[in-house]
Amino acid sequence: MPSLHSLIAGLGALGLLSLPFHPHPSGSTDRVTPGVVRVESASHVSITLLDDRSVIQQVVREYDTDLAEGSGFTVTPDGVVVTATGVVQASRDPRIYAANRVFSEYFKVKIPADFSRHTLDDPDLNRRLQACYPPQGQNSTCIATVTTDVTVFPYLDPPLPDGLPAQILTTGTSPAAPAVLKVTKGGEKQTLPTVPLAVSLGQSVVALDVISFAGRPSAKQPAKADTAHLDPPGTRTFKQEDRDKLAKLLKNGATGGALIDDNKSEVVGLLAGDSGTPLTITPVDEVRTSLVAAGVTPRRGPVDVVYESALASYHNKLYAEAVPVLLQVLNLRPDQAVALDHLKVARAKAGTAEDAGARVAPSPVAAAKRSSATSSLLWLGGGAAVVIVIAAGAAAALARRRRRRSGAEAGSAADDAHDPAPNGVASGQAGAEVGSWPPAATQVFEAAPYEAPVSPRRDASEGAGAAAAAPPFDARPAPDPSPPRGQAQLKFCTQCGMRLGQGHRFCGFCGHPADPR
């Protein structure tokens, strides 16, 4: 049995080695891109202008103004998004914009609709205008409240025209600090694609991929991937030749974009900076701290698990195997943009010369089926071989036993024909005594007792008298090896213990040669 177990273990190991090995997906950005989003923020200002020149009047206006736009990434399948604080908390005060608008409209004066403080030539109107600007005090002529509206646009196909509304959970103390958002609609099914979040930036990180959107994501406006390098590795400093390129990206909506470790395909931070702040990296350590402050634990969803399984086949050019897995991704999330794009490519290349599975090895399913069929054949073949060996051994043993018994009976008959049994012991008694011996071998195999042949020269009366005078069988050894006069010497097989007849040269049961003594 140990050898059989070793054989089975060896076959199992060979079966494992025969399965195709899938290294980590080579497309670092493909692993992250589905979870990258665009973030747009706007301010809704409700302002009340107080005019007390004759009769107190309240002039109420509502204004919406864009604050900022940038990028971010989703860290939970129900829609928790991380971006830079500067994307949702702009440095420009929307209350100034609202004051300029309401004062210009009500007093019919020319004031630009911007975020700057202005002055008027009329001293009374200028005093009232300055009292309308924040901060609000006892002598303020304007009362304003601001609500920030945040909209998240995931990378989906077809795109969501109005995006997903989100609320701000936490913000940082600087524009580069992480801000944590949560979509208020659209994440109930927990199928939003997420990104793999690293634990730390790492001291050996050199190459980073920056993922961002220059506009609202769609098939015509896909995610933009650019590569930059850290100098020295593991720091927040980019190489000089990469800084100008990244500065242009920040102007085009890359603020808050994911920074990906090109080696491990994980998000290690976010890109921050604008015209007022220098280019910088917010490491993933700070991102995780902000998530803890917001009471959020980053996690992946079922869509991400199936999608990464599809990437393993897709990036190893096993296109035929990637097709059904990509279909399963789209089963869970029909608008997953990257999976849709990869499915088109995989279907076009499946079974062609570019399909590594068609050229080198069968698919894992086919390999598993072949391995199962091989195992079944091995078991069937081994079982048949065992049955054949057992049958052949039994047939050989039976034939050998029959030959030995025939030879022993023939020899005994010849001896009895020339040497009659001494002291008148009848052959019938010998046969009876042999039949009464119960050795263990006879109990197991239930062999028929051996019967000595009757001597033709002995008459019935002599045989009967001798049988009546014969003493009963005693297995105890006699003190004197020579038998008493008138009594036959008892002989037994030294191999199996069977009683031997007089003159027998072989045991009639096992065929062992008799002791000549």
Side-chain angles (χ1 to χ4, degrees):
M1 291 302 293
S3 60
L4 179 59
H5 292 163
S6 301
L7 175 61
I8 294 173
L11 291 173
L14 289 175
L16 290 176
L17 291 174
S18 65
L19 292 177
F21 173 69
H22 297 294
H24 193 80
S26 59
S28 295
T29 59
D30 277 356
R31 190 178 180 215
V32 178
T33 302
V36 177
V37 300
R38 177 176 172 84
V39 181
E40 296 180 0
S41 63
S43 293
H44 179 78
V45 184
S46 176
I47 187 169
T48 302
L49 173 64
L50 302 175
D51 181 11
D52 60 350
R53 288 177 301 177
S54 56
V55 179
I56 296 177
Q57 297 187 31
Q58 296 183 1
V59 182
V60 180
R61 295 288 188 272
E62 305 281 338
Y63 300 108
D64 291 313
T65 176
D66 294 335
L67 282 181
E69 56 190 27
S71 300
F73 46 89
T74 309
V75 295
T76 65
D78 60 348
V80 174
V81 175
V82 176
T83 186
T85 296
V87 176
V88 295
Q89 196 179 72
S91 57
R92 301 178 300 178
D93 194 336
R95 293 175 298 177
I96 296 178
Y97 170 84
N100 290 335
R101 289 282 304 271
V102 69
F103 214 88
S104 174
E105 292 173 5
Y106 180 73
F107 289 104
K108 307 301 181 182
V109 293
K110 292 184 178 180
I111 301 175
D114 56 18
F115 294 86
S116 300
R117 296 173 184 263
H118 300 280
T119 59
L120 297 174
D121 295 335
D122 187 321
D124 182 61
L125 291 180
N126 185 61
R127 178 186 62 81
R128 293 178 181 277
L129 174 62
Q130 300 306 317
C132 189
Y133 289 137
Q136 182 177 328
Q138 292 183 352
N139 297 323
S140 294
T141 57
C142 291
I143 301 173
T145 57
V146 181
T147 303
T148 302
D149 296 326
V150 180
T151 307
V152 173
F153 294 87
Y155 185 25
L156 303 175
D157 187 15
L160 301 176
D162 298 325
L164 300 177
Q167 61 180 345
I168 300 174
L169 299 182
T170 60
T171 56
T173 56
S174 67
V180 181
L181 319 174
K182 174 69 168 63
V183 300
T184 57
K185 182 181 180 181
E188 297 82 5
K189 295 183 179 180
Q190 302 198 23
T191 58
L192 290 172
T194 68
V195 302
L197 201 62
V199 177
S200 63
L201 178 60
Q203 298 180 354
S204 61
V205 175
V206 177
L208 294 177
D209 296 318
V210 184
I211 304 295
S212 62
F213 291 102
R216 294 183 177 180
S218 65
K220 297 181 179 179
Q221 185 75 55
K224 182 175 177 57
D226 293 273
T227 304
H229 301 83
L230 299 179
D231 185 23
T235 65
R236 299 191 186 189
T237 307
F238 288 102
K239 285 187 176 182
Q240 186 61 44
E241 55 267 29
D242 292 329
R243 294 179 185 176
D244 293 339
K245 174 176 64 176
L246 295 175
K248 292 179 180 179
L249 291 177
L250 289 173
K251 293 181 179 179
N252 293 326
T255 304
L259 294 175
I260 306 166
D261 179 357
D262 192 61
N263 184 34
K264 295 184 178 180
S265 305
E266 296 176 336
V267 175
V268 294
L270 59 86
L271 185 67
D274 54 26
S275 58
T277 57
L279 173 68
T280 184
I281 294 176
T282 302
V284 68
D285 312 70
E286 295 185 17
V287 171
R288 287 187 173 274
T289 301
S290 299
L291 290 172
V292 171
V296 175
T297 301
R299 56 189 173 87
R300 312 299 303 280
V303 176
D304 306 308
V305 175
V306 181
Y307 171 70
E308 291 201 8
S309 177
L311 283 185
S313 297
Y314 183 85
H315 284 294
N316 283 300
K317 298 183 178 180
L318 300 172
Y319 298 113
E321 295 180 9
V323 169
V325 190
L326 289 169
L327 288 173
Q328 182 61 24
V329 175
L330 299 173
N331 231 7
L332 300 171
R333 187 79 206 192
D335 50 3
Q336 214 268 42
V338 184
L340 283 168
D341 183 65
H342 286 350
L343 180 61
K344 295 177 183 177
V345 176
R347 279 177 166 169
K349 295 183 177 181
T352 66
E354 295 185 64
D355 192 340
R359 291 184 284 107
V360 179
S363 67
V365 176
K369 290 181 178 179
R370 185 174 65 182
S371 175
S372 176
T374 303
S375 301
S376 301
L377 290 176
L378 286 174
W379 279 106
L380 291 175
V386 170
V387 172
I388 292 172
V389 170
I390 293 175
L398 182 59
R400 184 169 60 253
R401 180 175 169 188
R402 287 178 176 176
R403 286 197 302 269
R404 289 177 178 175
R405 177 176 294 179
S406 300
E409 290 178 355
S412 176
D415 290 343
D416 287 345
H418 295 87
D419 299 321
N423 300 326
V425 178
S427 60
Q429 162 133 9
E433 291 176 353
V434 169
S436 63
W437 176 256
T442 59
Q443 292 176 356
V444 175
F445 296 98
E446 298 181 359
Y450 170 73
E451 296 183 1
V454 179
S455 175
R457 294 187 295 176
R458 198 172 303 277
D459 56 26
S461 60
E462 182 182 0
F473 169 74
D474 189 358
R476 292 175 297 178
D480 187 0
S482 59
R485 189 172 182 177
Q487 183 176 350
Q489 182 181 8
L490 300 178
K491 297 176 65 177
F492 303 93
C493 176
T494 59
Q495 180 70 17
C496 66
M498 179 64 72
R499 176 92 172 260
L500 300 177
Q502 295 299 320
H504 287 186
R505 292 180 296 174
F506 299 94
C507 175
F509 180 75
C510 68
H512 189 271
D515 191 348
R517 288 180 300 173

